[in-house]
């Protein structure tokens, strides 16, 4: 079990061109995060398409299990030893539609977390998940959450009860939601004595302009590091287990 976990959150402005174009850009950004020493890389909600629910009318906008279009991401994760968490619309093997965070591990395996608290038209497109999913990275227990999940204290509470050290949120917080963002990420960290990390979708979407502010919060609820703007940006931090232990005593 590692005493530290280097993490990069990617504030990401999606590209036109669907999944293939965004896969290529994800590879470039994972390489950038590797230069920062990252072992875990977190992308925002629906990073492979952008928050464009209208595009989901096309089957090509959905991932499927073992999707060959992720081949280059699997390869960069194998080569760097990084676990990358991608934002995608995913159809399970039985056809169940999910709003998902998909973790690609260095050994090529994948794990998926499903958004539990859907809202608006998401309810018509996706089937809700049933709480947080935990993955392991270098011995750290990492919980995956998507956007509105973070506004429900019980979601993070369940993650902490399952042993989470880090609560990773892939989201879209828009302009004028900066205060809400800070409250959610800070409170989830402080209440549960764990780190929180946010990868916010950058640029603009049908929901409005992003407010940026991707970054990290410590187990005391205070921000550690955040993005400076609202475009694509790699924000990195080395999380220390000793800091967790200090606040868990």
């Amino acid at each position: 079990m590692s005493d530290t976990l280097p993490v990069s959150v990617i504030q990401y402005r999606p590209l036109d061109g669907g999944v293939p174009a965004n896969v290529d850009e994800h590879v470039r950004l994972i390489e950038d995060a590797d230069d920062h020493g990252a072992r875990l890389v977190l992308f925002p909600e629906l990073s492979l398409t952008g928050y464009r629910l209208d595009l989901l009318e096309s089957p090509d906008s959905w991932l499927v299990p073992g999707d060959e279009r992720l081949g280059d991401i699997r390869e960069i994760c194998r080569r760097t030893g990084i676990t990358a968490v991608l934002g995608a619309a995913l159809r399970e093997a039985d056809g169940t539609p999910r709003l998902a965070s998909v973790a690609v591990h260095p050994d090529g395996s994948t794990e998926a977390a499903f958004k539990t608290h859907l809202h608006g038209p998401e309810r018509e497109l996706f089937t809700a998940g049933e709480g947080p999913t935990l993955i392991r990275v270098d011995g750290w227990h990492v919980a995956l959450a998507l956007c509105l999940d973070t506004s429900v204290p019980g979601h993070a509470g369940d993650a902490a009860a399952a042993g989470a050290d880090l609560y990773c949120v892939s989201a879209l917080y828009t302009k004028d939601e900066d205060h809400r963002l800070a409250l959610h990420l800070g409170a989830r960290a402080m209440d549960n004595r764990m780190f929180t990390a946010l990868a916010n979708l950058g640029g603009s979407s049908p929901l409005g302009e992003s407010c940026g502010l991707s970054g990290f919060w410590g187990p005391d609820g205070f921000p550690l590091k955040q993005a400076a703007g609202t475009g694509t940006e790699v924000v990195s931090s080395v999380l220390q287990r000793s800091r967790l232990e200090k606040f868990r005593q």
Side-chain angles (χ1 to χ4, degrees):
M1 182 180 295
S2 175
D3 290 333
T4 60
L5 182 64
V7 182
S8 290
V9 296
I10 311 295
Q11 185 168 282
Y12 183 61
R13 178 179 289 176
L15 304 180
D16 294 333
V19 172
N22 284 293
V23 163
D24 289 346
E25 187 68 358
H26 279 49
V27 170
R28 184 187 72 78
L29 290 163
I30 292 168
E31 290 178 329
D32 191 334
D34 182 49
D35 290 341
H36 290 78
R39 297 286 295 162
L40 173 65
V41 176
L42 178 69
F43 285 89
E45 183 178 35
L46 291 175
S47 62
L48 288 175
T49 57
Y51 195 92
R52 288 283 309 279
L53 301 185
D54 58 307
L55 296 179
L56 300 183
E57 294 179 2
S58 168
D60 290 342
S61 293
W62 294 78
L63 295 188
V64 295
D67 203 305
E68 294 182 357
R69 293 173 295 175
L70 298 185
D72 288 345
I73 291 179
R74 291 190 186 94
E75 173 58 23
I76 191 66
C77 289
R78 182 199 65 78
R79 182 162 61 81
T80 61
I82 284 172
T83 293
V85 179
L86 323 172
L90 171 71
R91 287 200 183 277
E92 295 191 84
D94 64 1
T96 303
R98 303 288 195 177
L99 184 44
S101 288
V102 179
V104 180
H105 294 288
D107 64 1
S109 65
T110 60
E111 296 179 87
F114 307 134
K115 190 172 184 176
T116 302
H117 300 283
L118 302 171
H119 62 89
E122 293 175 359
R123 297 190 183 101
E124 301 172 8
L125 289 167
F126 303 105
T127 298
E130 298 179 355
T133 295
L134 270 67
I135 64 173
R136 292 190 64 128
V137 180
D138 291 356
W140 287 60
H141 293 84
V142 178
L144 303 180
L146 287 99
C147 206
L148 193 62
D149 291 342
T150 317
S151 71
V152 180
H155 191 274
D158 288 346
D165 303 305
L166 169 62
Y167 188 67
C168 281
V169 181
S170 299
L172 170 53
Y173 284 90
T174 57
K175 188 178 179 181
D176 300 325
E177 289 188 310
D178 49 340
H179 182 61
R180 182 169 175 260
L181 179 161
L183 288 175
H184 287 167
L185 276 295
R188 301 298 89 84
M190 183 179 68
D191 289 350
N192 298 289
R193 298 306 191 212
M194 59 186 177
F195 291 102
T196 58
L198 169 70
N200 197 18
L201 205 66
S204 62
S205 75
L207 295 183
E209 294 286 335
S210 170
C211 67
L213 299 176
S214 299
F216 301 89
W217 287 255
D220 54 3
F222 286 97
L224 301 175
K225 195 173 184 180
Q226 290 183 286
T230 61
T232 296
E233 186 174 344
V234 179
V235 184
S236 301
S237 184
V238 178
L239 308 183
Q240 298 178 330
R241 187 170 296 280
S242 60
R243 188 174 177 86
L244 283 179
E245 293 169 350
K246 172 184 175 182
F247 286 97
R248 287 177 172 178
Q249 291 176 354

